[in-house]
């Protein structure tokens, strides 16, 4: 089940004289293209650092899609795209998080 996220990353086009002609349409077309490509390519991994947590990866997916994803469903989707490393993320105030990396094909 997919739920809408908060408007934390919402955007709107405002009148701006420094953006010429159809540039807002070009930007929106680019956002829509990334939203579509995220479903059938691994484009999102080009936006990630070499090592990342699954929560960070899910945040990127949710931001691009503009929707909240259930963690178990998200993890099934990306299970064959990532590999667990022996590295841990520490110093965030909670228990250390396991870092993952993109599984090269």
């Amino acid at each position: 089940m997919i739920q809408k996220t908060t408007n934390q990353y919402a955007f709107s086009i405002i009148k701006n004289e420094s953006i010429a002609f159809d540039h807002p349409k070009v930007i929106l077309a680019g956002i829509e293209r990334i939203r579509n490509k995220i479903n059938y390519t691994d484009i999102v991994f080009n936006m990630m650092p070499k090592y990342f947590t699954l929560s960070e990866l899910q945040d990127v997916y949710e931001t691009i899609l503009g929707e909240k994803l259930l963690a178990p469903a998200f993890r099934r989707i990306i299970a064959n795209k990532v590999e667990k490393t022996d590295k841990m993320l520490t110093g965030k105030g909670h228990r250390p998080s396991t870092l993952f990396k993109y599984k090269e094909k």
Side-chain angles (χ1 to χ4, degrees), residues 32-65:
E32 284 303 313
R33 183 75 175 123
I34 290 173
R35 282 183 178 160
N36 292 331
K37 285 186 78 125
I38 202 172
N39 294 319
Y40 64 89
T41 70
D42 294 341
I43 191 171
V44 72
F45 293 100
N46 293 316
M47 301 174 201
M48 300 299 297
K50 183 173 183 175
Y51 300 105
F52 49 84
T53 65
L54 293 182
S55 295
E56 291 169 339
L57 182 61
Q58 185 171 345
D59 286 344
V60 172
Y61 267 85
E62 289 176 350
T63 300
I64 292 169
L65 295 172

Side-chain angles (χ1 to χ4, degrees), residues 66-101:
E67 298 173 331
K68 180 84 174 141
L69 304 172
L70 294 175
F74 171 75
R75 289 170 194 250
R76 278 192 303 274
I77 291 167
I78 56 100
N80 63 345
K81 299 179 182 185
V82 298
E83 60 185 68
K84 190 176 184 178
T85 68
D86 58 350
K87 299 180 184 317
M88 302 291 280
L89 178 65
T90 59
K92 295 286 184 176
H94 300 286
R95 69 181 185 148
S97 298
T98 302
L99 292 174
F100 290 77
K101 68 179 186 175

